[in-house]
Amino acid sequence: MRAFLSFRVCALLAGWATLAGCAVSSSAGGGLGGAAAGTGGTPGGGGGDATGGSAGALGTGGGGGAAPSHWVGTWATGPQLTEPGNLPPAPGLTGNTLRQIVYTSIGGSRLRVQLSNVFGDGPVTMTSVHLAVSTGASAIDTATDIGITFAGSPSVTIPAGQAVFSDPFDYALAALTKMAVTVHFGAAPAGVTGHPGSRTTSYLVAGDAVGAATLTAPASAEHWYYLTGIDVMADAAANAVVTLGDSITDGRGTTTDQNNRWPDDLSRRLRAAAPTAKVAVLNQGIGGNAVVGGGLGPTAVARFQRDVLDQRGVRYLIVLEGINDIGGSSAAAQTVATSLTNAFGSFIDQAHARGILVYGVPILPFGGNTGYDTPEHQTARTLVNQWIRTSGRFDQVIDLDAAVADPQNPANLAAAYDTGDHLHLNPAGYQKMADAIDLALFTR
């Protein structure tokens, strides 16, 4: 109880920005921490803070080892307010058990989990949270199952607009592992924080079944709810790359439960090469997302602090976004292009202030797509891509546009990579994107 009373709650400003003075100090062995800057130092950026936290989090996650170790995200996703059509299926969350599957990047022996109610319209209570290795569908390896705590308690209530880290815990996590995070809920609000485009099946059953080897006759949904991150305590050589984007980064067109988004493919390549084996990949794509205005979920401008700068251990950022700003706009091409390039310039400046290298990707082809493919939209794409390639503002340009375009008609995706909507790629296209990225960029 004393640990709960010693919480220092850091309210979110405009949904995600930190308030000054929210950092909470902690000893290296654990205890409180993980608010605006975890247990000291700069939150997230540059991979340099000893145990960096997340903007607006309740202080429950710090500690975990002496310098030069630091927290590095091994998995993350971008939260948003879940739309009515993507809410949890019956029997709903209140009083029931949800099992969610995620795919880690780097491994580690000390972990913490982040849960977020940042878009909730009321508090959410989780009476118990377990972590285990997934063995397929809703099944887990019970020998790996562990209950995690929050300031020493198995339960936690997260106020609306807040996020929380679990207490750090010892766990032998291998790289590239499918992990199951199982939550038994108390009361849950109507407004649910989630990530609709999980491309991964989640399982829901009535009652308390957090430690069950398999969930019996579960309802299922291809969405994540409340779960936003898993961190590992890693040595100083480890860091992370954030992939900031829309549905192309989120994995529209991939195979459910197969983890064949292009960031997943990139993660496997990084793992296979010794110089980059400790570079984690944090996928911050949101389907339908826009950079400046419109789209689905918070814009990239609005979520940049939380989804990029406040991620743990970040050294690199890949920006591949803007197609929805162009495709959804009726403004003049130059107007749209200027708004996007101004936003990209701001991203670069903010990231550089944290020691993060920023790699720009030209907007991919959308020729032939109904609605997006208009002369004005194509002009806007050309203007933005010229700026990305020639402005010199990015630390490097990763030309994935050239990698997946039709050589005979560069305004279109190559047929071999096109899902058929002339906008989203299939698994072969995403693998091509990952294969076209020079891994040396992640040794700088």
Side-chain angles (χ1 to χ4, degrees), residues 18 27 42 77 83 102 118 143 152 171 188 215 285-286 289 321 328 394 420:
T18 57
S27 66
T42 302
T77 195
E83 305 98 326
V102 302
V118 69
Y171 196 94
L215 302 182
I286 291 180
N289 200 230
E321 194 159 3
F394 287 101

Side-chain angles (χ1 to χ4, degrees), residues 306-362:
R306 181 191 61 242
D307 291 356
V308 178
L309 299 181
D310 289 342
Q311 295 301 305
R312 277 68 64 197
V314 179
R315 171 60 177 160
Y316 312 99
L317 168 63
I318 298 175
V319 179
L320 170 53
E321 194 159 3
I323 199 167
N324 293 318
D325 296 77
I326 293 172
S329 177
S330 59
Q334 185 63 64
T335 299
V336 177
T338 298
S339 70
L340 283 172
T341 56
N342 286 344
F344 294 157
S346 175
F347 294 167
I348 293 164
D349 291 341
Q350 292 178 69
H352 282 175
R354 301 291 190 94
I356 298 170
L357 297 173
V358 188
Y359 303 144
V361 180

Side-chain angles (χ1 to χ4, degrees), residues 23 26 44 69 91 95 112 118 143 159 164 216 220 234 251 266 303 312 316 320 324-325 373 406 408 439-441:
S26 166
S69 297
R112 66 181 183 180
V118 69
V164 64
T216 302
S220 63
L266 174 61
R303 65 191 181 96
R312 277 68 64 197
Y316 312 99
L320 170 53
N324 293 318
D325 296 77
D373 185 12
D406 181 346
Q408 305 306 314
L439 298 188
L441 293 174

Side-chain angles (χ1 to χ4, degrees), residues 395-406:
D395 295 291
Q396 186 74 37
V397 175
I398 304 175
D399 204 337
L400 303 185
D401 170 34
V404 299
D406 181 346

Side-chain angles (χ1 to χ4, degrees), residues 1 62 86 170 276 340 344 379:
M1 180 63 70
N86 294 322
D170 294 334
T276 58
L340 283 172
F344 294 157
T379 299

Side-chain angles (χ1 to χ4, degrees), residues 46-47 68-75 104-109 173-176 232-242 266-282 312-316 439 442-444:
S69 297
H70 63 155
W71 288 115
V72 178
T74 183
W75 174 85
T104 64
S105 51
I106 61 173
S109 60
L173 175 68
L176 303 176
V232 300
M233 183 59 69
D235 65 40
N239 50 46
V241 52
V242 170
L266 174 61
S267 182
R268 286 185 284 270
R269 288 192 65 217
L270 291 167
R271 241 42 66 226
T276 58
K278 295 182 178 181
V279 180
V281 178
L282 304 178
R312 277 68 64 197
V314 179
R315 171 60 177 160
Y316 312 99
L439 298 188
F442 307 104
T443 61
R444 298 169 62 178

Side-chain angles (χ1 to χ4, degrees), residues 368-412:
N369 177 264
T370 302
Y372 278 31
D373 185 12
T374 70
E376 197 72 13
H377 292 165
Q378 290 291 357
T379 299
R381 172 177 175 259
T382 297
L383 291 170
V384 172
N385 285 355
Q386 285 176 341
W387 186 89
I388 291 171
R389 290 186 172 105
T390 65
S391 69
R393 295 283 278 117
F394 287 101
D395 295 291
Q396 186 74 37
V397 175
I398 304 175
D399 204 337
L400 303 185
D401 170 34
V404 299
D406 181 346
Q408 305 306 314
N409 187 359
N412 292 5

